[in-house]
Amino acid sequence: MIRHLFGIVLTASLLSIPTEALAQARTWTLGQIVLSSANVPYAPLGVGAPSVALDEHSGTRFLETFEYPATAANPLDPVCPSGIWGIGIARSPNGIAWTTMDGDNDGGNGISPLIVPVPGAGTEHDCVMAQPSILWGDDPTGKFFWVAYKAQDDSGSNFTGIGMLEIELFGNGNIKTVTDHGLVLPMTDIGGYSDFKRECDGSYSMAVQRKVTGVLEYEMWEATSPTPDVLWTLAPSPSVSPSAFALPYMENEVASFEYFHDDWDPLDGFDETHIMFIGRTLALGGAFVTGGIAEMVRVEDGVSVFELPATPEITISTSTAYRHIGLIQLDVAGDQQFIMYTSELSGGVPRIRVAYTDPLPGFPGTFVVPKSCN
């Protein structure tokens, strides 16, 4: 496995949360706001759904994709009642201080988004391109990456599936081209929250949320593809159904999946799949009751299923907190640590906050561990 040496300095220390994980106990510290309408010029209505990766071209910065509402929701709008949602991108030398980038290769002044849909354009995402997930490409130059997104059309903001962007960088790190491949995983059921990774055989795996028809339950399904820009194949059945586990923190919903590559505690002879996720328990009608952030693990022996912990690492007590998560995995002198980016609502406006595991990551000997096989 390749790990990327990277120096990160985190100074926030506000709230320590005791945790319990399936593989090991972790303690999380909630830090400061890192992205909001205050530092994203084109997003006065806020930003959310962060996804973060190391820029493997430079090896000296992070890139973060995020969703933002370009227009406010209007239930009376027959075209886009949820509003128009686009995707932005930012860069950071340390994971804390972020600067927005442009998607129009104008030198990177940060005043325009990566991409924003246009109602009436005739695509399956004319209203919403949201909940992005970033994955670095396998090109030897390291100059391109993929971004999966949730798509909704302009016939009432119906969910249509998962789309895929391909982004190429200039040598100086600015964005050169943004290619929209459109839907790669068409879906008719309500869903989203996708994340994906490259496997050791060169194929790709995706975790995605899908609602059970007629029931208040949101499951995790998996899909596979030989390459991100072609049609993906959805598994014949869900991988995680909340009703099958009956855990107090996730009786109805599993969401916001984040693959990570964990080889600190392997089971001999088999690979493992590790996913950090958000679980939610909902009341009749969908009102939030409680939730939590936890890690699920599956041994890849062809017969095992995902194991989930009885209690979460982080308890979620309000619907305004921990709405989405993005994850960076670190090797700090041989110790597994994480930086998490999470969206929250403040006065109804979304913003992104950082959290991290203790002891504080960011000292010499820190390596960023890619979630894909290397």
Side-chain angles (χ1 to χ4, degrees), residues 92-140:
S92 173
N94 56 17
I96 297 297
W98 292 90
T99 303
T100 53
M101 300 171 63
D102 285 334
D104 56 9
N105 71 21
D106 66 353
N109 57 21
I111 61 172
S112 63
L114 184 65
I115 194 167
V116 61
V118 178
T123 70
E124 302 92 343
H125 52 68
D126 284 357
C127 282
V128 174
M129 302 174 74
Q131 297 177 1
S133 175
I134 185 172
L135 178 68
W136 216 262
D138 59 355
D139 180 81

Side-chain angles (χ1 to χ4, degrees), residues 38 40 76 96 103 130 132 168 183 196 205 227 265 338 361:
V40 181
L76 301 180
I96 297 297
E168 183 181 3
L183 286 186
F196 62 122
S205 297
T227 180
D265 187 25
F338 294 93

Side-chain angles (χ1 to χ4, degrees), residues 341-355:
Y341 299 85
T342 176
S343 56
E344 62 186 42
L345 293 179
S346 176
V349 178
R351 60 187 187 180
I352 297 170
R353 185 185 294 274
V354 70

Side-chain angles (χ1 to χ4, degrees), residues 239-252:
S239 297
V240 175
S241 299
S243 59
F245 288 87
L247 297 172
Y249 65 92
M250 52 159 284
E251 293 182 2
N252 305 91

